[in-house]
Amino acid sequence: MDAIQVQGVSKSYGAQQVLTGIDLAVPAGTVFGLLGPNGAGKTTLVRILATLVRPDAGRASVVGHDVVTSAFEVRQKISLTGQYAAVDELQTGRENLVMVGRLRRLGRSAARRRAVSLLERFDLAEAGGKLVKTYSGGMRRRLDLAMSLVTEPPVIFLDEPTTGLDPRSRQQMWSFVRELASGGSTIFLTTQYLEEADQLADRIMLIDHGVAVAEGTADSLKVRVGGERVSLTFASASSVALAVADLDPVASTATSVTVATSGTAAEVRELLDRMDKIGAPVDKVAIHRPTLDDVFFALTGGGPR
């Protein structure tokens, strides 16, 4: 069953076309990554799915509810963590969580129990009694995510959730996302961090200037921009010249030559023997596999953060 369905969704603001005919489907219990440069339309699509913005054309549904005609029902099934932590700095972490619980119509005791549980789950138990204005950026981000999970919604939208976090806090956030997915939640993740999408997403859509340019698993997208490559480093310019003349390199520098390869040990050994025979002994060998960085640069007009 698909938790999210989008068919032909378009959106413009005045003369600026932000989204153009987006189609996608997100199976329940999976992590879907929406990847693209600044201004690609990622946040606009999230706002449409979260019922904050109406599409100009097309339709979208979340857990079977249309985002336009059944907006109230959609809001009961989702949580949204935006690019900036939406927390009250003048309250403690526990008070923030209890407040959200009460707003979502939990009883006082139930709201307090849920707050304690989430503080422990997000490693904030010791800080729960402290004012949020004393929290680090990573702690605020974790609290923000905890607040969005007070009522355990089946669909969670994370709009660039690790922006501005240090590497350790980012790794912690990734761990929480994996935990949510393993528990059956559907995660819709937007990000500019290529490694983040590679690590977390079951499927990825790449959009640029509001147009979907590619969709698939991380591995299938990498295959689209080419297979593996082997880089041979030589001790002299004359060896490089011999290698370039003998091979069909995809790239070369003053000290190295790069050729396409299947990546097998037999092929690499054959390549090294071939270089020895022509009098161009190899100093170093490095095998490069395509990354989402390669996909990003090959298929979009922008660059990652």
Side-chain angles (χ1 to χ4, degrees):
M1 174 184 175
D2 291 331
I4 300 172
Q5 291 186 332
V6 176
Q7 299 171 334
V9 164
S10 297
K11 181 67 181 178
S12 62
Y13 293 101
Q16 182 182 5
Q17 188 75 25
V18 181
L19 294 172
T20 304
I22 299 296
D23 295 305
L24 62 86
V26 182
T30 64
V31 180
F32 186 89
L34 189 64
L35 187 64
N38 275 335
K42 302 186 302 297
T43 296
T44 297
L45 182 56
V46 168
R47 289 175 177 169
I48 288 173
L49 292 172
T51 75
L52 300 177
V53 173
R54 284 181 172 238
D56 295 334
R59 65 181 305 273
S61 63
V62 178
V63 198
H65 301 293
D66 188 277
V67 299
V68 174
T69 61
S70 302
F72 178 81
E73 289 79 3
V74 171
R75 292 171 193 151
Q76 305 308 303
K77 300 293 185 180
I78 68 171
S79 73
L80 170 60
T81 299
Q83 296 180 23
Y84 306 100
V87 294
D88 186 341
E89 294 187 342
L90 299 182
Q91 293 193 91
T92 67
R94 183 179 298 107
E95 288 169 343
N96 269 273
L97 290 165
V98 171
M99 174 186 68
V100 172
R102 296 292 289 144
L103 290 172
R104 297 304 296 265
R105 300 187 178 181
L106 293 181
R108 293 183 184 277
S109 297
R112 284 195 289 266
R113 287 195 300 271
R114 186 62 177 154
V116 170
S117 173
L118 287 168
L119 288 170
E120 292 177 351
R121 182 177 181 181
F122 286 89
D123 195 24
L124 291 169
E126 292 185 6
K130 297 179 181 179
L131 293 179
V132 173
K133 67 181 181 180
T134 67
Y135 283 18
S136 67
M139 293 168 69
R140 292 183 188 209
R141 212 64 177 117
R142 299 203 305 273
L143 177 62
D144 191 32
L145 181 55
M147 290 168 64
S148 72
L149 299 177
V150 167
T151 55
E152 299 183 281
V155 177
I156 301 168
F157 293 101
L158 301 178
D159 190 12
E160 301 194 24
T162 61
T163 296
L165 296 187
D166 60 75
R168 177 171 296 178
S169 297
R170 185 173 295 122
Q171 290 284 345
Q172 285 181 316
M173 187 63 70
W174 290 359
S175 177
F176 295 137
V177 172
R178 293 189 187 100
E179 180 185 334
L180 291 170
S182 65
S185 298
T186 302
I187 313 292
F188 192 99
L189 169 75
T190 77
T191 184
Q192 287 185 334
Y193 295 116
L194 308 176
E195 183 186 5
E196 187 161 275
D198 205 355
Q199 289 282 332
L200 298 176
D202 297 300
R203 289 187 68 80
I204 296 168
M205 174 177 281
L206 188 61
I207 66 173
D208 190 27
H209 294 94
V211 177
V213 295
E215 183 182 358
T217 65
D219 287 341
S220 69
L221 292 178
K222 292 171 188 177
V223 169
R224 288 187 58 169
V225 298
E228 297 182 357
R229 299 178 180 183
V230 59
S231 180
L232 308 176
T233 301
F234 300 90
S236 66
S238 59
S239 293
V240 172
L242 289 171
V244 169
D246 186 69
L247 300 171
D248 183 20
V250 296
S252 64
T253 69
T255 59
S256 68
V257 172
T258 301
V259 296
T261 177
S262 65
T264 64
E267 186 173 353
V268 173
R269 281 196 298 268
E270 181 182 348
L271 188 59
L272 295 176
D273 291 341
R274 182 172 171 178
M275 293 299 97
D276 285 337
K277 289 179 180 178
I278 66 171
V282 176
D283 274 359
K284 296 179 182 178
V285 178
I287 295 178
H288 304 281
R289 293 177 174 84
T291 67
L292 279 184
D293 295 66
D294 301 316
V295 175
F296 199 103
F297 284 114
L299 299 180
T300 76
R305 176 175 298 149

